[in-house]
Amino acid sequence: MSEAYFPLELQFRDPVRFDGELTRSELGHVGMSRLTSDPVNYERRRSHIRSAQEEQYLVTLPRATSVEFRQLGRDVRCDPGGFIIERGDEPYRFLYERPNDLYVLKVSRRALAERVRQPDRFCARVIDATTGTAGLFATMVSHAQSQIDDLTATARETIGRQLLELLGLALNDASNASESGYSSVRAAHLSRVEKYIRANLKDPDLSPDLIAEACGISKRYLHDLFKDVNGTVSQQIRDQRLVAARDRLQASRDLPISEVAYRFGFADQAQFSRLFKAKFGMTPSEFQRSAALRPA
């Protein structure tokens, strides 16, 4: 349990007769596991968190019966057809009263924050996964789990990235649906702007002026929107281009770095390499070499 998730304290309703099975695998930077077991109470305490090195999230999809979860002063009950997100750097309690079957993804905060703003706000909150992008995310998790043994390492990495993208879209849709009034209008504008940026990363002329015109808002209002997320339009364009370029290098390891740089709107390879290292901690060539060492 500690290796698959986090160090936890487990309390069994019937320790003598307890039965359970945990299987896990890796989808690139996403950990995937399936846990089937009799009732258990899991607790993550302050003492467990002291040794944590990187903030991680668990995304849990119950399939057989409800789970109860408490974190950050919030108590929620998640039925099959929904999912919840648990922060690994905060204490929590997680339990189910009847035998259960859970799919669980483990993702880093950095990876999720690249795709959704302020992911912490979704913790200890039930996300409906019966329709829309959340439903598509849940269906893809189920299909990936059922086919995991037949996938190559390259396919696993690709599916892991796709799951992260779908999770980000699902959370953004859930955020937009829960907002109201003035905040809802700003959230809708910001979501439309972010989607436009992601769809036009390869356009060398992508700029605040072009984005404002395409989204039907003023340039001043566009810049004001990004104050809500403590950033700027230019930072968003640059960061999204770097993430897309990294994913391209990982998916197509033989592509020249210069071609990837120009494809995603960077002026030259030197600028691209400098920004890439600042964001990911290694140069594009170092990243490409590390990706090539992984088995196909």
Side-chain angles (χ1 to χ4, degrees):
M1 294 294 297
S2 295
E3 291 176 358
Y5 307 131
F6 311 117
L8 298 162
E9 180 178 310
L10 277 62
Q11 297 176 354
F12 306 96
R13 175 183 294 178
D14 188 345
V16 176
R17 295 181 177 84
F18 176 80
D19 184 44
E21 181 179 8
L22 172 64
T23 60
R24 63 192 182 102
S25 54
E26 300 295 326
L27 297 173
H29 296 294
V30 176
M32 171 176 279
S33 64
R34 181 177 185 179
L35 173 62
T36 56
S37 84
D38 291 336
V40 188
N41 184 342
Y42 307 86
E43 285 198 48
R44 183 150 168 83
R45 301 176 179 272
R46 288 287 179 193
S47 57
H48 295 133
I49 296 170
R50 295 192 188 108
S51 59
Q53 297 182 355
E54 180 184 7
E55 185 176 345
Q56 304 269 354
Y57 297 115
L58 297 183
V59 183
T60 301
L61 300 87
R63 305 180 66 242
T65 189
S66 302
V67 300
E68 296 179 24
F69 182 66
R70 177 179 177 80
Q71 188 174 51
L72 302 169
R74 296 195 290 270
D75 290 277
V76 298
R77 178 186 179 91
C78 183
D79 299 321
F83 66 85
I84 55 175
I85 299 179
E86 304 133 55
R87 277 180 63 171
D89 66 337
E90 288 286 342
Y92 67 75
R93 184 187 65 183
F94 180 98
L95 63 92
Y96 38 93
E97 298 287 346
R98 291 182 291 167
N100 216 335
D101 182 4
L102 310 171
Y103 288 159
V104 184
L105 300 184
K106 187 176 184 179
V107 302
S108 70
R109 186 186 191 285
R110 183 182 66 178
L112 191 53
E114 289 174 349
R115 295 162 173 85
V116 60
R117 292 177 288 105
Q118 302 171 332
D120 289 350
R121 61 198 166 107
F122 297 101
C123 295
R125 173 179 163 187
V126 177
I127 307 298
D128 180 8
T130 57
T131 60
T133 51
L136 183 58
F137 165 73
T139 299
M140 187 171 178
V141 170
S142 180
H143 285 329
Q145 176 66 42
S146 66
Q147 302 293 326
I148 193 70
D149 292 336
D150 299 323
L151 299 176
T152 65
T154 300
R156 293 186 185 201
E157 285 186 1
T158 301
I159 291 171
R161 290 196 303 274
Q162 292 172 343
L163 283 172
L164 279 171
E165 294 294 339
L166 276 176
L167 177 59
L169 289 172
L171 294 179
N172 281 320
D173 286 349
S175 176
N176 292 340
S178 67
E179 297 284 351
S180 62
Y182 176 71
S183 295
S184 177
V185 172
R186 291 179 69 87
H189 280 307
L190 187 57
S191 177
R192 186 165 66 252
V193 166
E194 290 174 334
K195 288 178 182 178
Y196 182 83
I197 290 173
R198 286 195 294 271
N200 293 274
L201 292 174
K202 296 179 182 179
D203 184 353
D205 296 323
L206 186 63
S207 66
D209 292 291
L210 184 62
I211 295 167
E213 181 179 356
C215 294
I217 57 178
S218 70
K219 185 178 175 181
R220 179 178 179 179
Y221 184 66
L222 173 66
H223 286 297
D224 189 52
L225 285 175
F226 279 85
K227 292 180 182 178
D228 293 347
V229 294
N230 298 318
T232 68
V233 185
S234 298
Q235 287 172 350
Q236 177 75 355
I237 295 171
R238 183 188 64 225
D239 287 349
Q240 288 297 329
R241 279 175 166 165
L242 286 169
V243 169
R246 180 201 61 190
D247 290 347
R248 177 63 67 182
L249 286 171
Q250 192 169 41
S252 304
R253 301 170 184 174
D254 296 329
L255 271 180
I257 292 172
S258 58
E259 181 178 335
V260 174
Y262 297 137
R263 180 177 298 184
F264 289 101
F266 292 95
D268 55 61
Q269 186 173 335
Q271 179 207 36
F272 172 59
S273 296
R274 184 177 67 257
L275 293 173
F276 191 99
K277 185 173 183 179
K279 184 167 182 62
F280 301 117
M282 63 177 72
T283 65
S285 57
E286 289 170 342
F287 178 82
Q288 211 169 32
R289 284 195 297 271
S290 68
L293 294 175
R294 299 172 190 158

